[in-house]
Amino acid sequence: METRIVGNSGLAVSALGLGCMGLSYGYGPATDKQNAIGLIRAAFDKGVTFFDTAEAYGPFANEELLGEALQPFRDRVVIATKFGFQQGDSTKGLDSRPERIRQVADEALKRLRTDRIDLFYQHRVDPNVPMEEVAGTVKELIQEGKVNHFGLSEAGVASIRKAHAVQPVAALQSEYSLWWREPEKEILPTLEELGIGFVPFSPLGKGFLTGKIDENTQFDKTDFRNVVPRFSEENRKANQKLVDLLGELAMQREATPAQVALAWLLAQKPWIVPIPGTTKLHRLEENIGASSVELSAEDISQIDDAFSAIPVQGDRYPAHLQKRVGN
Ligand SMILES: NC(=O)c1ccc[n+]([C@@H]2O[C@H](COP(=O)([O-])OP(=O)(O)OC[C@H]3O[C@@H](n4cnc5c(N)ncnc54)[C@H](OP(=O)(O)O)[C@@H]3O)[C@@H](O)[C@H]2O)c1
């Protein structure tokens, strides 16, 4: 697979990473551990060198899983993890106090079975801790050799600039896909100006853009999508038009909807590295196949025109979580 450099940081990764959250957390019961290890190792065998996790996924179980799965080839992969919640629990409050960041780093190193975190993101901006202090703490961790690069997730432009002035930010990880294009307004131009790479999460629209979810899909009771307005039965029905359209565009290009959704992201900027997540080997292969789907400028404008004509129904987060993004 093509290698991409994340902004000006020099961090080199496969053009598509693997989002590992869903193997432990968020979308129903965790995948059986041996199967999950097999999937992660298969991704590496097929050219993926960029693996995304967080203290909060589990909490802790996902980092432990990656630690075990990646150990045989640790030096040939880039591991990204995240800090920022009280006790690592995303249902609790935010916590980016310097002492907490240091504690997360030390504990994550053990769980990941490594001596350095390649990319350490703040999961959400903490309104109670000045960004300069957060960036200063990560800068110290970099000086100590525990962390290689600093990242932010769902941060707003002002926070990105403040952080970058203290410790250059290698990457921003925020939601971006054919059905969430908000980052195009202010975020992408700012990242381009500052030389920061972009890692779109939920690049497949949490599965919706693949065409495998419809109004009749029943999610497990622990599945996060049960509380996402965009995934209410009514909104799934309304948003089906998007997927039908993507299906047509994909068919014309002899690709699948998931592949077109990923290829569209890859075509936006050479410093964009999407991290689709899956628990299934055949879908991993399908998603990796997107890296060989070439979309021309004409394809992109056709897709853009078609999508802009269809309004997306429903917010991407419930109100209490919406407050945590864009700060
Ligand atoms: N920074 C943040 O706040 C944040 C938030 C969310 C996610 N993330 C990161 O981003 C990664 C990816 O995001 P995501 O998992 O939310 O969303 P995603 O990659 O857009 O979608 C994942 C969902 O799509 C399904 N899927 C994947 N490939 C498919 C295919 N080819 N055909 C049909 N279905 C397919 C998966 O189900 P199966 O498992 O059944 O295939 C899963 O339910 C996560 O793993 C996590 O590392 C970060």
Side-chain angles (χ1 to χ4, degrees):
M1 204 186 320
E2 173 208 348
T3 295
R4 291 196 166 197
I5 310 292
V6 179
N8 293 344
S9 67
L11 184 66
V13 294
S14 52
L16 290 168
L18 180 65
C20 297
M21 177 185 79
L23 291 166
S24 308
Y25 170 84
Y27 298 141
T31 300
D32 164 80
K33 193 170 167 200
Q34 287 316 315
N35 290 343
I37 289 174
L39 185 100
I40 291 169
R41 291 187 178 162
F44 175 72
D45 288 344
K46 292 170 196 305
V48 174
T49 62
F50 189 32
F51 294 85
D52 190 75
T53 181
E55 178 197 37
Y57 302 160
F60 316 125
N62 200 242
E63 283 186 339
E64 282 164 5
L65 173 70
L66 263 71
E68 184 172 346
L70 299 173
Q71 194 169 31
F73 37 84
R74 165 65 188 105
D75 292 339
R76 288 181 281 159
V77 295
V78 169
I79 305 177
T81 193
K82 316 184 190 81
F83 62 87
F85 293 109
Q86 284 172 24
Q87 293 152 24
D89 184 344
S90 68
T91 64
K92 297 191 173 150
L94 300 169
D95 188 352
S96 281
R97 290 169 303 137
E99 59 268 37
R100 176 70 193 150
I101 298 175
R102 291 188 154 277
Q103 184 190 3
V104 178
D106 287 337
E107 292 175 1
L109 286 171
K110 289 195 196 113
R111 287 188 288 265
L112 291 167
R113 304 187 189 188
T114 184
D115 59 356
R116 78 275 176 207
I117 295 164
D118 298 304
L119 175 56
F120 203 27
Y121 294 103
Q122 183 190 39
H123 214 145
R124 290 290 180 272
V125 170
D126 184 343
N128 297 315
V129 184
M131 184 51 90
E132 290 81 357
E133 240 176 82
V134 173
T137 305
V138 177
K139 188 185 189 83
E140 287 166 11
L141 289 168
I142 292 172
Q143 284 160 354
E144 291 160 29
K146 293 180 177 177
V147 168
N148 283 345
H149 295 278
F150 178 32
L152 298 171
S153 177
E154 288 290 346
V157 165
S159 296
I160 295 169
R161 288 188 185 279
K162 277 188 207 162
H164 195 69
V166 175
Q167 166 59 45
V169 176
L172 179 77
Q173 177 179 130
S174 294
E175 184 163 355
Y176 183 39
S177 70
L178 274 169
W179 79 342
W180 181 250
R181 299 184 56 174
E182 176 85 9
E184 290 171 5
K185 290 185 193 151
E186 281 193 331
I187 294 289
L188 291 181
T190 304
L191 300 184
E192 186 143 48
E193 177 201 325
L194 300 176
I196 299 173
F198 189 50
V199 177
F201 75 71
S202 301
L204 299 171
K206 298 181 162 56
F208 191 76
L209 296 172
T210 68
K212 297 286 188 252
I213 291 173
D214 64 20
E215 63 189 284
N216 300 314
T217 304
Q218 296 287 326
F219 296 114
D220 181 86
K221 64 179 188 316
T222 61
D223 194 308
F224 172 67
R225 288 168 292 200
N226 287 313
V227 299
V228 174
R230 199 163 270 199
F231 279 89
S232 73
E233 208 177 300
E234 186 192 354
N235 286 334
R236 270 182 272 153
K237 193 171 176 184
N239 292 328
Q240 188 61 42
K241 286 192 219 97
L242 293 167
V243 179
D244 294 345
L245 173 70
L246 190 55
E248 284 166 33
L249 295 165
M251 204 146 50
Q252 291 159 13
R253 285 158 186 88
E254 295 184 347
T256 68
Q259 288 173 335
V260 171
L262 295 172
W264 178 85
L265 282 169
L266 288 170
Q268 300 304 310
K269 299 284 176 191
W271 38 270
I272 286 185
V273 181
I275 47 166
T278 182
T279 55
K280 300 180 176 67
L281 191 59
H282 68 282
R283 290 178 171 177
L284 171 74
E285 285 164 355
E286 176 186 346
N287 297 346
I288 289 172
S291 63
S292 0
V293 175
E294 294 271 344
L295 297 177
S296 65
E298 202 181 313
D299 288 332
I300 297 292
S301 62
Q302 198 199 342
I303 294 170
D304 286 349
D305 290 349
F307 265 78
S308 57
I310 305 176
V312 182
Q313 300 292 322
D315 293 336
R316 72 176 174 124
Y317 276 124
H320 71 288
L321 295 181
Q322 183 61 35
K323 288 190 200 127
R324 288 183 169 175
V325 296
N327 298 318

